[in-house]
Amino acid sequence: MEWQDPVMAGGRLGRVLVVDDVEIVRKSIRTTLANAGYEVVEAENDEQAIRVMREMTDMLPVDAILSDLRMPHINGTELIAYFRRQYPMIPVVVLTGYPDVELAVSLMRQGVMDFLVKPVLQNELLTVVKRAVEQKGMRKQQVIS
Amino acid sequence: MHAQVKSNGRNGRCTCQKSAEEALRESEKRFRQLQDRLIQAEKLASLGTLVSGMAHEINNPIQGIMGMAELVLDERDPVAIREYTRDIIEYSRHIAAVVRDFACYARSNSHEDEVDVDLCERLAEAVKMVRRCPHFGKVEVVTQFQPVPRLRARRVEIDQVFVNLLSNAVQAMDGRGRLELATFSKGGTMTVRISDTGCGIQKALIHRIFDPFFTTKDPGKGTGLGLSIVCQIVNKYCGTIGIESEEGKGSTFTVQFHAEKRREEAHDGVAGPCYGRREAGACAGGR
């Protein structure tokens, strides 16, 4: 029988954590992902993101993380490092307003799955999120088998 | 010149004095034009840092606007369409405001006349600009603004002073710390104090910080002209600038303008530079 992710059973396609301080960014991503069949949990800063993740009882509370890097009062790089350390199985996608190639390379080396520069079109966003959720499924399956 | 005086007697002396005055006026005029150009050049250089902040300020709402516009394309519910459209308008206005702020800051100072500048208002606007810097991070801003008399000056130049000092303070704190801003007035002296809890300045270097092209930043990260220009602008308006700093603890810049001196200057129609008083660990000033 094919392995089934318990979280994926909640949202039709999976659950995604979206971290961004700008309300309209969260709103447009939330609506886009929800329309496509994902369940979305949101956080507007690092503290909220960490709390949201800790409050969920599952070992792997979400299938993918989509996070901004530079938000007021947040060092996004530290937040990404936290996610990679605490949840190495969950793919992290960075969605940032700063087109910084050096930073992108450095984050990819730290295990970030993709580095998107705002603005991105719906299709691009959905393709990357789909790939991230599938990657998490594959990683988990590898660990189980 | 002496020969002319001798041959023309009294009239010759008048002509000579007149031409010397004209030459002096011409030289003052050229100096002011050069100073304006230098101030403008430094401002444009410092905009480089602010522009990366602008990328964040603009790309974020554009992401939302694009996302909402794509949602509108697929949406059939008129209520949802109206809601998304309202979001698009709201965030388009935000972008327009950001662009306006930056354009105001970048515009040429030489085309602006002197007006009565509210220092508290300009300091608050400068904070808004600097908050957009990518390295602003978790810096806490504490303000204690007491009303101060208005200063007759070019608004863009006062903005440049504050944006420069605040940018330096924020960079010194590397995203963490406390930025304290205070304004007060006593006996005709208007004081603006900017304190940070950043890395501070080495004692051995403090006397050089207002020197042109002196920088402690990595190559390519600073022109070394910022504080020198700040000093020139402050001096131009009969002001003084002083610094106290302790390595590892932070720095405090104190800018003072003297209302009466400035009023006399404006009234006399003296348009040339006014050399500010030098202070310990302070602006080397002047030309």
Side-chain angles (χ1 to χ4, degrees):
Chain A
M1 196 180 129
E2 201 181 319
W3 173 83
Q4 258 213 326
D5 192 313
V7 174
M8 302 250 301
R12 191 162 54 85
L13 295 179
R15 187 188 287 159
V16 181
L17 169 67
V18 176
V19 188
D20 203 299
D21 61 311
V22 181
E23 209 272 329
I24 194 177
V25 174
R26 292 199 310 276
K27 185 176 176 181
S28 69
I29 293 174
R30 176 181 68 225
T31 316
T32 300
L33 293 181
N35 287 353
Y38 294 94
E39 185 189 339
V40 178
V41 272
E42 291 174 50
E44 62 174 278
N45 56 45
D46 51 353
E47 283 168 18
Q48 220 178 72
I50 292 168
R51 197 174 60 239
V52 162
M53 292 291 274
R54 282 183 181 159
E55 276 172 2
M56 286 186 271
T57 47
D58 200 293
M59 285 276 285
L60 296 173
V62 295
D63 297 284
I65 296 167
L66 189 62
S67 178
D68 192 2
L69 268 186
R70 286 179 176 149
M71 300 167 264
H73 314 299
I74 299 180
N75 181 335
T77 318
E78 283 175 16
L79 181 63
I80 302 291
Y82 169 84
F83 286 143
R84 295 297 305 141
R85 202 170 50 244
Q86 294 293 318
Y87 308 96
M89 301 263 284
I90 302 177
V92 176
V93 174
V94 167
L95 179 62
T96 175
Y98 292 97
D100 185 336
V101 177
E102 275 177 43
L103 183 63
V105 171
S106 148
L107 287 170
M108 302 282 266
R109 281 195 182 130
Q110 287 170 45
V112 162
M113 203 200 97
D114 222 324
F115 188 96
L116 300 176
V117 177
K118 292 173 187 170
V120 291
L121 288 166
Q122 267 187 12
N123 275 346
E124 194 183 351
L125 182 73
L126 288 171
T127 306
V128 171
V129 169
K130 183 170 180 267
R131 208 163 53 223
V133 171
E134 283 171 356
Q135 196 182 79
K136 185 226 168 188
M138 285 190 308
R139 282 180 191 174
K140 192 162 183 178
Q141 210 159 14
Q142 280 165 2
V143 172
I144 291 169
S145 60
Chain B
M1 204 171 266
H2 281 294
Q4 197 184 9
V5 173
K6 270 181 189 169
S7 62
N8 295 338
R10 193 183 170 87
N11 287 341
R13 263 198 299 279
C14 281
T15 314
C16 179
Q17 196 178 343
K18 220 170 162 184
S19 61
E21 277 170 8
E22 269 171 24
L24 185 65
R25 264 198 301 275
E26 186 57 32
S27 142
E28 284 286 352
K29 191 179 155 194
R30 270 206 304 273
F31 168 72
R32 280 195 306 278
Q33 284 170 344
L34 274 174
Q35 194 183 35
D36 279 348
R37 271 187 232 152
L38 187 63
I39 289 171
Q40 182 65 11
E42 191 283 329
K43 186 166 60 182
L44 293 179
S46 70
L47 268 174
T49 314
L50 294 171
V51 160
S52 59
M54 193 178 177
H56 181 258
E57 281 288 314
I58 290 184
N59 283 343
N60 263 318
I62 286 183
Q63 174 67 54
I65 288 168
M66 252 172 60
M68 287 311 189
E70 287 192 291
L71 289 169
V72 167
L73 281 177
D74 299 331
E75 186 60 63
R76 299 218 170 154
D77 176 7
V79 177
I81 290 174
R82 267 201 298 277
E83 184 193 326
Y84 297 161
T85 312
R86 265 198 303 272
D87 286 334
I88 290 171
I89 294 168
E90 185 191 332
Y91 282 87
S92 303
R93 283 194 179 129
H94 175 78
I95 293 175
V98 171
V99 172
R100 195 174 49 237
D101 283 355
F102 276 87
C104 275
Y105 180 69
R107 79 168 175 234
S108 172
N109 46 328
S110 59
H111 299 125
E112 196 187 76
D113 290 332
E114 289 184 357
V115 292
D116 290 327
V117 176
D118 180 339
L119 295 178
C120 301
E121 179 200 272
R122 296 331 302 164
L123 192 56
E125 283 299 311
V127 172
K128 262 169 61 183
M129 290 278 290
V130 175
R131 270 187 193 280
R132 293 175 179 141
C133 289
H135 41 253
F136 194 86
K138 293 187 176 187
V139 169
E140 179 196 1
V141 182
V142 181
T143 57
Q144 207 174 6
F145 291 168
Q146 286 175 21
V148 293
R150 285 170 180 255
L151 176 75
R152 192 82 187 158
R154 281 178 179 162
R155 194 183 54 77
V156 283
E157 290 181 346
I158 299 303
D159 285 354
Q160 195 170 350
V161 167
F162 292 155
V163 168
N164 252 305
L165 293 176
L166 293 177
S167 295
N168 282 347
V170 168
Q171 282 177 30
M173 287 186 280
D174 199 20
R176 282 170 206 275
R178 191 177 157 96
L179 180 65
E180 286 184 3
L181 311 172
T183 62
F184 54 92
S185 169
K186 197 178 172 189
T189 299
M190 301 165 259
T191 302
V192 176
R193 189 166 289 157
I194 297 170
S195 304
D196 67 68
T197 55
C199 57
I201 301 161
Q202 286 176 41
K203 253 188 181 164
L205 301 179
I206 206 159
H207 66 285
R208 295 181 58 198
I209 62 161
F210 293 108
D211 290 352
F213 303 109
F214 175 77
T215 181
T216 54
K217 292 173 190 164
D218 293 334
K221 301 259 165 139
T223 59
L225 282 174
L227 285 177
S228 157
I229 296 289
V230 162
C231 188
Q232 281 197 38
I233 297 172
V234 171
N235 279 341
K236 185 177 166 185
Y237 296 116
C238 298
T240 56
I241 178 165
I243 176 178
E244 289 166 49
S245 186
E246 197 176 336
E247 207 179 346
K249 295 223 168 147
S251 305
T252 297
F253 281 86
T254 306
V255 180
Q256 291 189 312
F257 295 105
H258 311 284
E260 197 55 43
K261 216 195 250 182
R262 182 65 196 133
R263 235 191 325 271
E264 281 167 18
E265 168 102 345
H267 184 258
D268 290 347
V270 180
C274 168
Y275 301 105
R277 183 162 51 91
R278 291 183 186 196
E279 292 187 352
C283 176
R287 271 183 238 212

